[in-house]
Each structure stands twice: as structure tokens, then as C-alpha cells.
Amino acid sequence: MGLLERGVEDSMSRDERNALLARAARHGQVYLESVADRPVAATAAGADLRSALGAGMGETGTNPGVVLDALAAAAEQGTIASQGPRYFGFVIGGSLPVATAADWLVSAWDQNSAVYAMSPLVSVVEEITAGWMRDILALPEHRGVGFVTGCQMASFTALAAARHDVLRRAGWDVEANGLTGAPAIDVLVSEESHYTIFMALRLLGLGAARARRVPTDGQGRMRADELSRMLCESTGPCIVCAQAGNVNTGAFDPIAEIAALSRARGAWLHVDGAFGLWARTSPVLGRLASGLEGADSIATDGHKWLNVPYDCGIVFCSHPEAHRAAMSLAAAYIVSDAQERDPHEFVPEESRRARAVPVYAVLRTLGRDGLRDLVERHCSHARRMAERLAIDPAVRILNDVVLNQVLVRFERRQGDADALTRAVIAGVQQEGTCWLGGTTWHGMAAMRISISNWSTSAQDIDRSAEAILKVLQDVRL
Ligand SMILES: Cc1ncc(COP(=O)(O)O)c(C=O)c1O
């Protein structure tokens, strides 16, 4: 009898299933136990991984334990140790143990989080978690909250609500009629908006290139005086996109001023706070993000600074009707309960993972103090890293280290500083103590160091700074 005839119950006994899950858990534990000590970069190339994993889907299938073992063996070499304490690339937070464990439960439960009828648990967890976040981030109570895959989708969702609202006020129903013949929307973005804002604008038919770019200052902050001038030139429906946390410098746009200007103009203000939003958990750092409560929508990530596993983005929207109108479309067979939260009303997807569960687990485990400590500790590590590196006269820290980002350039008295900086980045990536990436900042090659993993210690910072300076000393151009 084949698998299908035998039925799911017979195809794997309870003991076999338990053994398989225990095997996966063991592989996960072994991986996490070694992640701090292994080279941070992957040690296998794509070709190695293809030959390790590419063969083996035969007609008759393979024992599931063997499949898991093959994946785990390939992961040892093919993954980047971004779960480890010395990964400083992009803005990638490692996952807190409780978040990983809660995510395993999510997989075991396998809930569809679209509507309350499909999973009362997920609906209620989303509701509670949304309330806790509004509270710790000091955001108004009426804000709608949706859980999406990442900050790009959070901005997409928010800007869909913005598009609805500004066009509704101009007498146009975009959901019914699309954009053909609609009044033009003037979209103002920062010159240094994250590229995912442009992706969201593209997907919404608002055009990436049409958006007008507001000049920024030396730290990458939107200039409020320039925004004011550009808003004066603008007529009709208008959306402003600001950011809390520049991906290179960590700098915050002057949100309070921008919010006041947007409000006076009747523009919708959207803020990309992918990681910077979490500064509001700290009384000291929160000042950087003051005025954010006045934004019409905010996008952020859970999988960055909140240290939940991929994937998790979160959208906050101050206008529940616009949010719902942009995101929901009824169908006769989808049962809605007026008293309960239907998670799909706040996001573009229908069937989806229970992403709020690891967020719930982190917030409840850390509490207010733990969260503030996590964020403040990373910022203090960033300052420590900048200080340690600056000991070498060839190091130039390009940004004011106000948050968890450090931007570094290497310059010797003679020679090409761009080439030197790129060579140091490549050398550090190869050396393996830590991992960080490069960027071009205001026309200069620079090293980006982003600190957002719960397990990073002061010793990890010192060890990494030492390794970076050693590579610098060894680079001969
Ligand atoms: C400022 C900013 N906005 C948006 C994003 C995009 O986030 P995601 O990849 O989760 O969609 C990032 C990612 O680094 C970011 O730093």
C-alpha cells in the first residue's frame, strides 16, 4: 500500500513523528550551541550546496530523518551565522531563544491566521500584542495594527491606506476604480529613504521615480525647511514619507516638525521605523523619535531589533477605516465575527503564519525593562565599537553614533581610501571573527556596522574591533 492509500494516520506512527520532531529540535540545538564559535561567514559556496542538496528526490521518496540530517549538515556550512553575536551586517537581529521556541510552536500548531474563525488563539494573541506594542511605544490607542512579512510590506500596507485616504478626500474611490483617471498624488520622500519605500510606491502604482525627493543634511536626516518649501509648491492629494532610523547612520528625520508640516498641508505622513521605532522603548533614546505619535502610519520590523525570527513586520495605522478599506474585501464564505479581530483586515495577505506569537513571547518575557535594556545595550555597544576603532588614526567614523549603527571609513595619508575601505571589508568577511557589509555614503565607500543581536556582549565588540584593526594593518595596496 502506498502513502496515499494508507492515509496520514498510518503513514507515520506517533512514535515516529515524535522522534522526527525531537531530531529537528536536536539539530536546532546543536546549531545554536556552535553558532557563536564558528566562522561568521558561510564556508560552503552555492556549488557545494547544490551538490550536497540537489540530488535525491527519487520516485519513492526518502526517509524524513535522512532529509532533516541532510539539511542540517548543509546548514552548518551554508548558513551565515547571523544568529551569532558577531554578525553586524545589514540590520539583522538574531532571534531570542524564547522567540525561536515560540516559533516552533507556531509550526506545530499550523494555524491559518486569516480570520478569527480559523484560529481564535491567533486573533486574540494579535490583539493583545498590538495593545502592548502601542503601550510601550506610546502610540495612540486607536491605531490599527497588522502583522506582515517585513517592513517593506508594512510600508506597502500603510501606503495603500494612505492612497485610499488622500484619494477619498479628493472624491475618488481607488479600490473600486484603480488609478486610471484618478487625481495625481504628490508623494514626497526623503533623498535617503530606504529603497523599500520606492518598491512599495511601485507596487501601489504611485511610481518610484515620480516621488519628489526632499534634500537631507549631513547625517541623512530630511530637511524640514526643504520639506516646507516643497509642500508649499504642492497641490492636491499628498503623501509624505519620513524615516526614523537611517539605514546607514541611524539618524532620525525631525519627525515632530515633519508631522506638523504634513498636518497643516493635509498630507498623510508615513514613517519608516524599521528599527528606529524601538528607540521609543527607552526614555533617553525615545527623544530621537519624538512626534512619531503624530504620524498617520508607521512601518517597522519585528525581525530586526525585537529579535523575533524571520519573518515579521508590523504596520500601525491611525485611520482604522482607511486601513480596513484598503485591505479588506468580503467573500460570502468567509465568516466574520463583529466582536472579534479578523487579522486579515489589517494586511494584504489572506492565509498567513501566526507571526504575532513570537512577538507576544518576547514582549512578555522581556517586559518593559528588558526591552529597554536590549535597545540601550546595543546603542552602547555601537558607541564602544566606534571608540575602539577610532584608536587607529586611519579610522574615520562618518556618523554621529546616535543609535545602533556605525559608519566607518579607512583613510591613510596616501592612497585610495575607497579601495582601502573595500579591501578591509572584504578582509574582515574572509577572516571570519565577525561579519559586516559595505555601502556608499555621500559618494564615499564605507563599512556599515549594525548591532541588533541580543547575544552580542562587550567582549564580542572588543574582539571584533581588534579583528577589524588587524585586517586594516595587514592590507597593503
Ligand atoms: C530603514 C529600513 N526600512 C525598511 C527596511 C526593509 O525591511 P524588510 O527587509 O524587513 O522589508 C529596512 C531593512 O534593512 C530598513 O533598514
Side-chain angles (χ1 to χ4, degrees):
M1 224 181 353
L3 248 178
L4 290 177
E5 295 96 275
R6 275 193 284 140
V8 175
E9 275 299 301
D10 303 330
S11 66
M12 183 175 274
S13 71
R14 194 176 61 182
D15 287 351
E16 283 172 330
R17 186 189 62 203
N18 288 344
L20 190 66
L21 293 177
R23 195 167 183 147
R26 184 72 203 129
H27 278 310
Q29 284 157 6
V30 168
Y31 183 86
L32 292 175
E33 264 161 25
S34 64
V35 80
D37 303 317
R38 51 164 278 193
V40 181
T43 51
D48 306 322
L49 296 171
R50 270 188 290 279
S51 71
L53 295 173
M57 191 191 144
E59 287 299 320
T60 52
T62 308
N63 176 289
V66 171
V67 175
L68 284 189
D69 292 352
L71 284 168
E76 278 302 319
Q77 299 176 330
T79 53
I80 303 268
S82 52
Q83 270 279 54
R86 292 182 303 284
Y87 184 84
F88 306 122
F90 308 96
V91 187
I92 293 193
S95 174
L96 277 154
V98 71
T100 304
D103 203 55
W104 287 358
L105 289 181
V106 168
S107 290
W109 298 333
D110 192 28
Q111 298 291 280
N112 186 334
S113 318
V115 292
Y116 177 83
M118 291 174 184
S119 181
L121 175 94
V122 175
S123 161
V124 170
V125 167
E126 280 203 2
E127 184 185 290
I128 293 170
T129 308
W132 286 350
M133 285 191 298
R134 281 190 296 256
D135 186 32
I136 50 174
L137 296 168
L139 297 175
E141 247 180 50
H142 64 278
R143 271 181 195 266
V145 179
F147 294 85
V148 287
T149 51
C151 194
Q152 174 170 294
M153 284 313 289
S155 282
F156 171 86
T157 308
L159 291 170
R163 186 182 67 166
H164 167 91
D165 193 62
V166 297
L167 286 179
R168 181 193 56 77
R169 285 190 266 139
W172 187 265
D173 180 345
V174 69
E175 281 74 33
N177 302 317
L179 284 172
T180 309
I185 302 177
D186 191 17
V187 180
L188 296 171
V189 297
S190 156
E191 219 166 40
E192 298 200 24
S193 283
H194 194 265
Y195 71 91
T196 49
I197 287 291
F198 297 102
M199 189 63 188
L201 293 173
R202 259 169 66 165
L203 292 172
L204 288 162
L206 298 175
R210 271 191 81 247
R212 295 196 294 147
R213 297 178 185 231
V214 185
T216 50
D217 67 12
Q219 291 295 314
R221 293 175 290 233
M222 183 191 277
R223 282 182 49 188
D225 57 336
E226 290 286 347
L227 175 68
S228 172
R229 182 184 58 74
M230 291 170 76
L231 281 173
C232 286
E233 294 163 3
S234 152
T235 53
C238 181
I239 299 173
V240 175
C241 298
Q243 88 189 335
N246 179 299
V247 74
N248 286 310
T249 62
F252 287 67
D253 290 348
I255 307 285
E257 271 179 88
I258 292 171
L261 289 168
S262 303
R263 204 174 310 117
R265 164 66 178 75
W268 177 291
L269 173 61
H270 171 64
V271 178
D272 173 353
F275 52 97
L277 176 63
W278 300 98
R280 283 174 71 95
T281 59
S282 153
V284 187
L285 298 164
R287 285 200 285 273
L288 294 167
S290 66
L292 208 72
E293 61 284 353
D296 296 289
S297 57
I298 305 168
T300 192
D301 266 317
H303 56 224
K304 289 188 169 64
W305 223 348
L306 198 54
N307 282 206
V308 300
Y310 285 97
D311 48 30
C312 179
I314 303 153
V315 56
F316 297 86
C317 181
S318 273
H319 306 273
E321 308 77 34
H323 194 173
R324 274 211 176 80
M327 289 298 129
S328 43
L329 193 62
Y333 80 106
I334 297 294
V335 201
S336 232
D337 184 333
Q339 305 305 312
E340 303 292 351
R341 173 186 171 92
D342 282 328
H344 74 156
E345 290 193 342
F346 305 91
V347 296
E349 304 131 329
E350 280 298 310
S351 296
R352 43 200 277 284
R353 190 171 175 75
R355 296 192 186 95
V357 171
V359 177
Y360 173 95
V362 165
L363 296 180
R364 189 161 172 190
T365 304
L366 293 185
R368 242 175 234 283
D369 288 353
L371 198 53
R372 187 190 60 225
D373 179 60
L374 179 82
V375 167
E376 290 181 349
R377 192 168 71 239
H378 291 155
C379 296
S380 135
H381 286 342
R383 293 192 297 274
R384 186 181 182 105
M385 178 72 94
E387 279 161 22
R388 294 286 183 279
L389 292 176
I391 289 167
D392 192 303
V395 168
R396 190 173 143 213
I397 305 296
L398 296 178
N399 65 324
D400 297 339
V401 184
V402 292
L403 206 66
N404 58 342
Q405 311 290 314
V406 188
L407 207 51
V408 191
R409 182 165 165 84
F410 302 95
E411 299 174 335
R412 289 186 178 134
R413 231 172 278 141
Q414 272 157 10
D416 179 344
D418 282 348
L420 176 63
T421 302
R422 292 193 187 107
V424 175
I425 294 167
V428 172
Q429 289 176 355
Q430 207 174 4
E431 191 267 344
T433 300
C434 62
W435 201 98
L436 28 76
T439 189
T440 301
W441 164 253
H442 293 186
M444 296 175 281
M447 171 187 274
R448 288 187 64 254
I449 301 176
S450 175
I451 299 166
S452 29
N453 184 309
W454 65 276
S455 65
T456 303
S457 66
Q459 289 73 25
D460 289 310
I461 297 297
D462 295 351
R463 202 174 138 191
S464 303
E466 238 172 70
I468 295 168
L469 292 181
K470 172 83 176 56
V471 169
L472 168 65
Q473 278 152 23
D474 292 347
V475 170
R476 296 274 159 266
L477 289 180

